[in-house]
């Protein structure tokens, strides 16, 4: 039998599911348990098709808009990314029973944006156009109340109505470094701009990026397990490349690995976006173990002990589930 070459795998920690994702998935699972199938979910509950497919197998039905849902007494769940105010308003007008799985850290940004608006501020949102979280945050306020800034160039071009009454909020899943540069550009131009009391970029996004920064310079290549639709997963690949790793790719699962990029390796870093299940990380490691003699070392840069409460109506089931 041919001897397999040795491969050191440095496994980033923290990685994978964050508290907001875990909570959102629990809400769908517990709703299915309490009310039975179907449970309708507006937009992918989290950006991972394997999570979505596993929930579909249990009886969840995913739609993009409420108008796709027939008149029903079945529960309707709003995704972790948050929704514009028009969505719960439409649900109420149709007497729908809905459960809001918006991540509490996204809800915090919604509250901040609304508070700034009430105080008469012109609001800048740093984020990616078209992302559901951005659509949800902008949809908390009247049309035109929020200006979207995606890049430093946008920040340098932006012309406010009144530089003295500006405030900014950010999407929770951005690159920490990119956002710092954009905020610096805004502050340089508009010193009076109001920012959040506490960082909007969520703890999980920050921690996963810091873990990548610690591992990327130590390895020849990096794999991030996550969906191409996942903003926080895409940012992890960018951070790995910026941190000195020559090869870094995003894969949904082991079958997506381009093995031509991972030939004759001595060391590999592995991480996962906040919506990627740990089973897919294990699958990737197993795929490398078929080609290499692997030694896995976990590199821990932070401990995470955060958990978010699920809606009260589902809590007795949560206790019974022992989660």
């Amino acid at each position: 039998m041919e001897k397999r070459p040795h491969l050191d795998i440095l496994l980033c920690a923290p990685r994978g599911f964050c508290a907001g994702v875990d909570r959102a998935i629990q809400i769908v699972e517990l709703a299915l348990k309490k009310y039975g199938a179907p449970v309708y979910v507006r937009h992918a509950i989290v950006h991972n098709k394997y999570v979505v497919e596993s929930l579909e197998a249990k009886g969840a039905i995913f739609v993009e808009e409420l108008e796709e849902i027939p008149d029903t007494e079945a529960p309707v769940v709003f995704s972790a990314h948050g929704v514009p105010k028009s969505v719960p308003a439409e649900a109420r007008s149709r007497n729908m029973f809905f459960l809001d799985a918006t991540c509490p850290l996204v809800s915090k940004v919604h509250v901040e944006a609304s508070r700034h608006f009430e105080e008469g501020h012109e609001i800048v949102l740093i984020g990616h156009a078209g992302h559901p979280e951005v659509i949800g945050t902008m949809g908390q306020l009247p049309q035109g109340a929020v200006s979207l800034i995606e890049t430093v160039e946008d920040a340098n071009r932006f012309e406010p109505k009144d530089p003295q009454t500006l405030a900014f909020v950010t999407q929770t899943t951005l690159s920490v470094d990119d956002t710092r540069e954009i905020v610096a550009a805004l502050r340089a131009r508009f010193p009076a701009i109001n920012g959040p009391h506490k960082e909007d970029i969520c703890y999980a996004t920050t921690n996963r990026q810091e873990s990548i920064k610690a591992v990327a310079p130590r390895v020849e290549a990096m794999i991030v397990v996550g969906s191409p639709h996942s903003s926080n997963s895409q940012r992890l690949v960018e951070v790995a490349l910026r941190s000195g790793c020559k090869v870094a790719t995003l894969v949904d699962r082991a079958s997506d690995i381009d093995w031509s990029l991972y030939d004759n390796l001595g060391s590999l870093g592995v991480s996962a976006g906040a919506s990627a299940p740990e089973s897919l990380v294990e699958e990737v490691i197993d795929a490398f173990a078929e080609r290499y003699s692997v030694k896995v070392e976990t590199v821990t840069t932070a401990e995470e002990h955060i958990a978010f409460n699920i809606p009260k109506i589902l809590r007795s089931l949560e206790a019974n589930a022992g989660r």
Side-chain angles (χ1 to χ4, degrees):
M1 183 178 160
E2 190 183 344
K3 192 166 183 279
R4 286 173 297 175
H6 180 79
L7 176 65
D8 287 314
I9 293 180
L10 299 187
L11 190 55
C12 293
R15 64 182 175 278
F17 279 2
C18 61
V21 164
D22 193 48
R23 173 181 179 270
I25 294 167
Q26 277 192 62
I27 287 172
V28 179
E29 289 177 340
L30 293 172
L32 283 162
K33 193 171 176 182
K34 181 164 186 171
Y35 304 105
V39 167
Y40 290 93
V41 185
R42 184 191 177 278
H43 191 68
I45 186 70
V46 297
H47 282 158
N48 188 281
K49 69 179 180 180
Y50 303 100
V51 170
V52 167
E53 285 169 2
S54 72
L55 293 172
E56 282 178 331
K58 295 173 183 175
I61 296 174
F62 289 85
V63 299
E64 282 306 307
E65 299 297 343
L66 296 185
E67 64 193 30
E68 299 169 51
I69 302 173
D71 289 333
T72 179
E73 292 181 0
V76 178
V77 180
F78 301 153
S79 83
H81 311 99
V83 294
K85 277 189 171 173
S86 58
V87 173
E90 182 187 343
R92 285 187 197 98
S93 75
R94 291 183 57 190
N95 293 318
M96 286 176 160
F97 166 48
F98 62 87
L99 298 162
D100 190 353
T102 300
C103 172
L105 297 178
V106 174
S107 297
K108 177 176 90 72
V109 177
H110 291 181
V111 169
E112 278 172 5
S114 300
R115 177 175 56 81
H116 284 309
F117 182 71
E118 285 160 14
E119 291 173 357
H121 289 108
E122 181 181 352
I123 298 159
V124 166
L125 169 61
I126 301 169
H128 296 296
H131 190 279
E133 185 185 326
V134 165
I135 292 167
T137 299
M138 294 182 83
Q140 300 305 301
L141 300 173
Q143 202 160 356
V146 183
S147 299
L148 182 65
I149 286 184
E150 297 189 78
T151 63
V152 170
E153 291 71 31
D154 288 349
N156 288 331
R157 279 194 301 263
F158 177 63
E159 293 299 335
K161 298 182 188 77
D162 179 356
Q164 298 305 310
T165 60
L166 268 182
F168 75 88
V169 293
T170 83
Q171 186 179 332
T172 62
T173 55
L174 299 176
S175 156
V176 174
D177 295 333
D178 284 350
T179 306
R180 193 179 291 125
E181 288 175 16
I182 294 169
V183 170
L186 287 169
R187 287 200 190 281
R189 292 189 64 210
F190 314 113
I193 194 168
N194 275 273
H197 295 307
K198 192 172 179 298
E199 188 66 68
D200 280 340
I201 295 175
C202 84
Y203 78 94
T205 298
T206 303
N207 287 349
R208 279 147 192 72
Q209 289 180 22
E210 288 302 315
S211 180
I212 291 264
K213 287 177 186 176
V215 167
R218 297 175 54 189
V219 294
E220 296 163 45
M222 192 106 202
I223 279 186
V224 175
V225 181
S227 164
H229 301 298
S230 164
S231 172
N232 77 82
S233 301
Q234 290 177 329
R235 303 294 81 77
L236 293 180
V237 174
E238 293 168 5
V239 169
L241 293 168
R242 279 189 199 167
S243 301
C245 191
K246 291 184 176 62
V247 177
T249 58
L250 183 64
V251 299
D252 248 332
R253 66 185 315 167
S255 55
D256 299 324
I257 296 170
D258 178 353
W259 289 104
S260 67
L261 298 174
Y262 296 97
D263 210 14
N264 300 317
L265 276 184
S267 57
L268 173 75
V270 177
S271 186
S275 46
E278 184 64 13
S279 59
L280 298 183
V281 176
E282 291 165 2
E283 185 183 281
V284 165
I285 292 171
D286 289 346
F288 277 92
E290 288 174 9
R291 292 164 173 78
Y292 292 91
S293 171
V294 303
K295 179 187 169 204
V296 180
E297 176 194 342
T298 299
V299 178
T300 304
T301 52
E303 300 282 346
E304 292 181 350
H305 304 290
I306 293 173
F308 294 130
N309 286 334
I310 60 163
K312 197 179 284 185
I313 198 166
L314 298 174
R315 275 184 213 161
S316 60
L317 280 174
E318 181 192 33
N320 294 338
R323 295 189 63 156

